[in-house]
C-alpha cells in the first residue's frame, strides 16, 4: 500500500523492518541489548501504526506460548504483532526478575522492578492494544490477567523478602506475605490448569499455601509478643495446615524452596508444641476458632509499571549510538509516509465535499431544472407559443433535416432509380427465359427433322431447374414492385407536405395560416407572447448561471487538495507522538473551514428557488390568459393543424426514405443474382446450340450415304 506514492521509495525501509524483526525476535536475556532491541522494534511498530491501517494484507504468525509444536496463530493486524512482541518483552522482564540475586537488597529491588515491568506490559496489552485487535484473540491472550497476578505476586514476594532481610515487625511481614498469597491464588483462580504446564500449577499452589503459612506464623509471633496466647496457638495451627498443603507438591519444587518449606514446618512444630504446653500449664486461654480470628490486613506495596518505551515511543532516539550495528537506526521507518489518520481525514473530507457538491449543489440544481421542465411540459411551452406566430423549433430542425437529405426531389430521384433497377432486373430474367425458349424451339425443330437420328434429351427435361429458379426470381421482383408501388403512393399522398418541408423556414411560415392583424385580440395575444417569452429568457439566464455555479463547484472539488493542511493539523494534535490516536472528528475545524467555499455556492443555488417559483407561477397565469384568448380562433386552429401535418410529413419522409434506401439496396444485391441467372441460361443455350450443330452434321442423310459407300 503506497497511498499514491512511489512504492520503491520505501523498499529499503521494508527490508530494514524485516531484518529488524528477525534480529529482535532472536534476542534473549543473555544478550545485554536483547531487551533494548525488542523495545526498539516495538517502537517501530507503534510508529507504523500511525502510518498504516491496522489491517494490512500480510500474515503475522506466532506460535502458542506453551504449545510450540502447534501451528502458529495468524492474524493480519499490526496490533497482533505489537501484542505478541510486548508479550515477549514481558517474558524477558520476568526472566530478568527470576535471574536476580535476591540475597542482596539491590538484587531484590531490581527483581521487583522487573516483575512490575512485566506486569505493566501484560496489562498494557490487555487495556490498550487488545481492544483494537479487530479479530478474535488467540487463547494465549486469555492468560493476560492471570499472568499479571503472577508477576505482581513475584514482585510482592521481593518486597516481602526485603522486609524479612531488614527484620521488620511480625505484623508488617505478615501483611506482605498474605498479599503475596492472595496474588498467587488469584493466578490459580483465573486460569484453566490445562492452559499451563503442570509444574507451574504445583509451584504456584505451593507458593500460595507457603505464604499463607508464613503470614499466619508471623501473626502468631505478633500474638505472643502481645500476650495473646490462645490466638498464637490458633494461628500456628492454621500455618501448619497451609504449610502441610504446600509440602504435598515437593516433587515438582526446586530443592531450595523445599528447604524453605521444611524449615518453616520445623519452626511451626517447635513453636506449636511450646505454645500448647505453656497455655495448658500456665495461661489456660481459650484457643479461638479460625473464623474468630481477625483477618490479616493486606499491604499493597507494588503495582504494574508500564516501561517508558511503551508510553514514550521516542525514548530510543536518545540511546547511545551503535556504530557497528546496521539495524540500529535513529529514525522511525516510513517517516516520510503520510499518516494513515490523515488519509482517513482526507477520505472523510472528500465524502463531505462530495455530498455537498452532488446533493446540495448539483442535486438541487437538477431538482430546480426538473421542476422548471415539468411546469413547461405541462403547459406545452414553447410549442404552445411558437405555433401561434412562428414555427416550433422542432419543426425548423425537421425541415432543415429534410432539406439536408435532398427534400422531395431526393425521393423522386430514388423512386426513378428503383424503377430503372426494377425494369433492368425483369429484363435480365426475360433475357434468360428467351434464351431458354429459343433453344427449346430449335431443339424441337431439329428433333422433328432428324427423327430417331436425333439422339439427345429434350431441352425441357434439362431446363426444369433453371425455369423454376427464374420463376422464383420473377415472383420476388414482382413482389418488390408491388412494395415499390406502395412507396410511390406514399410519395403521392405526402408529396405536397414534404415539398413544403423542403423549403426554407421563412417560406414555410408564409404559407401557414395566421391570425389576421385586424383581429380584435391580435395585439393582446402578441403582448402576452412577448411577456411569456421574456420570462422564459429570465428562466434561461437563471439556469445558465446555476450551470456555471455547478461547474465552478465541480472544478473546485476536483482541484481541492487539503492533505498538507491536514498533515499540519495532525502534527499539531500529536506533537509528533505516534501513540496519540487520531480520529477524523478531530479535523472538524479544518473541514469546516475548507467547506465554506462549497457552502457559499450552495447558498447561491438556493437563492434561485423562490424567484424560479415566482416566474413559473407568472408564466402559468399568462399562459392561462393566452389560452382563453386563442381558443376557437379558426386561423390558429388551422395553423396548428397545418404544423401538425408538417410534423407528420417529416415522419413519413423518414419512413419513405428508409423504404427507398432498402429498395435500392435490395435491387443492387438482387441484380447480381439475376445477372448470374441470365448468364447461366445463355451459357446453357450456347452449349446446346454447339452440341446441336455437331449432331446435325453426324445425323445428315447425305453424309450417312457417303459413309456407307
Amino acid at each position: 500500500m503506497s497511498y499514491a506514492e512511489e512504492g520503491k521509495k520505501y523498499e529499503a525501509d521494508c527490508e530494514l523492518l524485516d531484518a529488524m524483526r528477525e534480529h529482535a525476535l532472536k534476542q534473549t536475556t543473555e544478550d545485554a541489548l536483547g531487551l533494548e532491541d525488542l523495545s526498539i522494534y516495538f517502537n517501530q511498530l507503534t510508529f507504523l501504526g500511525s502510518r498504516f491501517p491496522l489491517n494490512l494484507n500480510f500474515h503475522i504468525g506466532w506460535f502458542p506460548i506453551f504449545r510450540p509444536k502447534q501451528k502458529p496463530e495468524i492474524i493480519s493486524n499490526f496490533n497482533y504483532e505489537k501484542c505478541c512482541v510486548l508479550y515477549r518483552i514481558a517474558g524477558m522482564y520476568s526472566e530478568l526478575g527470576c535471574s536476580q540475586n535476591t540475597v542482596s537488597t539491590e538484587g531484590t529491588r531490581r527483581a521487583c522492578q522487573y516483575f512490575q515491568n512485566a506486569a505493566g506490559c501484560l496489562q498494557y496489552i490487555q487495556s490498550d492494544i487488545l481492544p483494537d485487535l479487530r479479530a478474535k484473540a488467540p487463547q494465549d491472550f486469555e492468560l493476560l490477567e492471570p499472568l499479571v497476578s503472577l508477576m505482581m505476586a513475584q514482585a510482592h514476594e521481593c518486597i516481602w523478602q526485603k522486609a524479612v532481610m531488614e527484620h521488620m515487625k511480625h505484623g508488617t511481614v505478615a501483611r506482605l506475605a498474605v498479599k503475596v498469597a492472595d496474588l498467587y491464588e488469584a493466578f490459580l483462580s483465573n486460569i484453566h490448569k490445562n492452559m499451563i504446564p503442570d509444574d507451574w500449577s504445583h509451584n504456584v499452589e505451593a507458593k500460595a499455601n507457603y505464604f499463607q503459612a508464613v503470614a499466619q506464623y508471623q501473626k502468631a509471633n505478633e500474638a505472643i509478643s502481645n500476650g495473646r496466647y490462645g490466638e498464637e496457638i490458633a494461628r500456628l495451627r492454621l500455618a501448619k495446615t497451609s504449610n502441610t498443603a504446600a509440602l504435598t507438591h515437593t516433587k515438582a519444587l526446586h530443592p531450595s524452596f523445599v528447604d524453605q518449606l521444611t524449615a518453616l514446618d520445623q519452626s511451626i512444630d517447635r513453636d506449636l508444641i511450646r505454645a500448647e504446653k505453656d497455655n495448658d500449664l500456665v495461661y489456660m486461654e481459650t484457643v479461638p476458632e479460625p473464623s474468630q480470628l481477625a483477618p490479616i490486613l493486606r499491604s499493597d506495596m507494588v503495582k504494574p509499571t508500564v516501561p517508558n518505551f511503551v508510553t514514550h515511543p521516542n525514548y530510543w532516539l536518545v540511546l547511545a549510538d551503535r556504530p557497528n550495528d546496521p539495524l540500529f537506526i535513529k529514525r522511525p521507518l516510513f517517516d516520510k509516509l503520510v499518516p494513515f489518520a490523515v488519509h482517513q481525514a482526507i477520505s472523510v473530507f472528500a465524502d463531505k465535499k462530495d455530498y455537498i457538491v452532488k446533493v446540495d449543489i448539483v442535486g438541487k440544481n437538477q431538482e430546480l431544472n426538473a421542476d422548471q421542465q415539468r411546469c413547461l411540459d405541462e403547459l406545452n411551452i414553447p410549442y404552445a407559443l411558437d405555433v401561434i406566430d412562428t414555427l416550433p423549433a422542432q419543426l425548423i430542425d425537421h425541415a432543415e433535416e429534410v432539406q439536408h437529405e435532398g427534400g422531395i426531389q431526393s425521393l423522386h430521384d430514388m423512386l426513378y432509380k428503383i424503377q430503372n433497377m426494377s425494369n433492368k432486373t425483369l429484363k435480365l430474367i426475360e433475357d434468360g427465359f428467351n434464351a431458354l425458349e429459343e433453344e427449346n424451339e430449335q431443339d424441337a425443330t431439329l428433333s422433328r427433322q432428324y427423327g430417331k437420328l436425333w439422339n439427345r434429351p429434350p431441352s425441357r427435361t434439362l431446363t426444369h431447374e433453371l425455369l423454376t429458379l427464374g420463376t422464383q426470381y420473377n415472383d420476388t421482383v414482382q413482389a418488390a414492385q408491388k412494395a415499390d408501388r406502395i412507396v410511390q403512393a406514399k410519395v403521392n399522398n405526402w408529396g405536397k407536405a414534404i415539398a413544403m418541408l423542403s423549403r426554407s423556414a421563412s417560406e414555410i411560415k408564409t404559407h401557414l395560416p395566421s391570425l389576421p392583424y385586424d383581429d380584435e385580440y391580435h395585439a393582446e395575444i402578441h403582448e402576452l407572447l412577448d411577456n411569456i417569452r421574456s420570462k422564459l429568457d429570465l428562466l434561461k439566464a437563471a439556469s445558465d448561471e446555476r450551470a456555471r455555479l455547478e461547474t465552478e463547484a465541480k472544478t473546485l472539488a476536483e482541484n481541492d487538495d487539503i492533505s498538507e493542511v491536514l498533515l499540519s493539523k495532525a502534527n499539531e494534535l500529536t506533537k509528533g507522538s505516534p501513540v496519540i490516536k487520531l480520529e477524523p472528528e478531530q479535523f472538524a475545524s479544518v473541514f469546516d473551514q475548507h467547506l465554506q467555499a462549497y457552502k457559499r455556492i450552495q447558498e447561491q443555488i438556493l437563492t434561485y428557488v423562490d424567484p424560479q417559483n415566482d416566474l413559473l407561477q407568472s408564466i402559468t397565469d399568462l399562459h392561462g390568459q393566452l389560452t382563453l384568448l386563442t381558443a376557437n380562433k379558426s386561423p390558429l386552429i388551422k395553423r396548428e393543424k397545418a404544423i401538425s401535418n408538417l410534423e407528420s410529413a417529416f415522419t413519413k419522409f423518414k419512413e419513405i426514405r428508409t423504404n427507398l434506401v432498402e429498395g435500392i439496396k435490395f435491387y443492387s444485391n438482387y441484380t447480381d443474382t439475376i445477372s448470374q441467372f441470365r448468364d447461366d441460361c445463355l451459357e446453357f443455350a450456347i452449349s446446346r446450340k454447339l452440341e446441336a450443330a455437331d449432331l446435325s452434321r453426324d445425323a445428315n442423310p447425305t453424309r450417312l450415304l457417303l459413309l456407307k459407300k
Side-chain angles (χ1 to χ4, degrees), residues 15-28:
E15 293 172 359
L16 275 172
L17 184 64
D18 284 342
M20 191 177 291
R21 181 180 195 268
E22 184 177 357
H23 173 74
L25 298 188
K26 290 179 180 177
Q27 302 306 301
T28 66

Side-chain angles (χ1 to χ4, degrees), residues 45 48-49 52-54 56 58 60 76-82:
L45 290 176
L48 289 180
F52 292 96
L54 293 177
L56 286 179
F58 68 89
I60 302 171
S76 297
N77 188 293
F78 262 133
N79 274 345
Y80 178 56
E81 178 80 348
K82 286 181 66 178

Side-chain angles (χ1 to χ4, degrees), residues 21-56:
R21 181 180 195 268
E22 184 177 357
H23 173 74
L25 298 188
K26 290 179 180 177
Q27 302 306 301
T28 66
T29 53
E30 296 176 2
D31 189 329
L33 298 174
L35 186 60
E36 187 173 284
D37 286 339
L38 263 176
S39 64
I40 291 173
Y41 175 61
F42 178 83
N43 290 153
Q44 289 286 5
L45 290 176
T46 300
F47 188 82
L48 289 180
S50 71
R51 288 297 188 266
F52 292 96
L54 293 177
N55 296 318
L56 286 179

Side-chain angles (χ1 to χ4, degrees), residues 415-426:
L415 274 171
Y416 180 75
K417 184 176 182 179
I418 284 176
Q419 186 175 2
N420 287 339
M421 295 176 78
S422 174
N423 292 336
K424 180 182 177 182
T425 304
L426 286 177

Side-chain angles (χ1 to χ4, degrees), residues 652-663:
K652 283 297 178 182
F653 173 81
K654 299 294 288 185
E655 178 186 320
I656 292 168
R657 196 173 191 285
T658 299
N659 295 152
L660 293 173
V661 169
E662 290 175 352

Side-chain angles (χ1 to χ4, degrees), residues 247-376:
L247 285 167
T248 61
H249 302 282
T250 52
K251 290 183 179 180
L253 305 180
H254 192 275
S256 62
F257 185 35
V258 174
D259 291 343
Q260 285 181 264
L261 291 172
T262 303
L264 178 60
D265 199 56
Q266 292 172 353
S267 297
I268 294 171
D269 287 343
R270 182 185 65 246
D271 289 354
L272 184 58
I273 292 171
R274 187 257 317 147
E276 288 177 340
K277 181 179 179 182
D278 289 349
N279 191 55
D280 290 342
L281 296 176
V282 180
Y283 308 115
M284 292 181 289
E285 284 191 10
T286 302
V287 178
E289 294 295 326
S291 60
Q292 295 176 314
L293 295 173
I296 302 174
L297 299 177
R298 272 68 173 166
S299 290
D300 199 351
M301 302 297 293
V302 295
K303 61 181 180 180
T305 305
V306 181
N308 284 336
F309 74 85
V310 176
T311 54
H312 299 85
N314 294 331
Y315 95 100
W316 55 279
L317 297 176
V318 297
L319 294 175
D321 289 335
R322 301 188 208 165
N324 299 322
D325 187 351
L327 298 180
F328 186 78
I329 303 167
K330 282 196 170 183
R331 70 169 179 85
L333 298 178
F334 303 94
D335 54 337
K336 302 299 182 184
L337 192 65
V338 175
F340 179 62
V342 173
H343 285 284
Q344 287 181 306
I346 290 172
S347 178
V348 171
F349 175 75
D351 290 342
K352 290 177 178 291
K353 174 183 66 178
D354 289 347
Y355 183 86
I356 293 177
V357 172
K358 292 179 180 178
V359 177
D360 296 335
I361 296 175
V362 176
K364 189 61 180 179
N365 186 34
Q366 291 175 345
E367 180 185 331
L368 288 171
N369 289 338
D371 290 344
Q372 173 182 311
Q373 193 59 48
R374 189 182 307 110
C375 179
L376 297 181

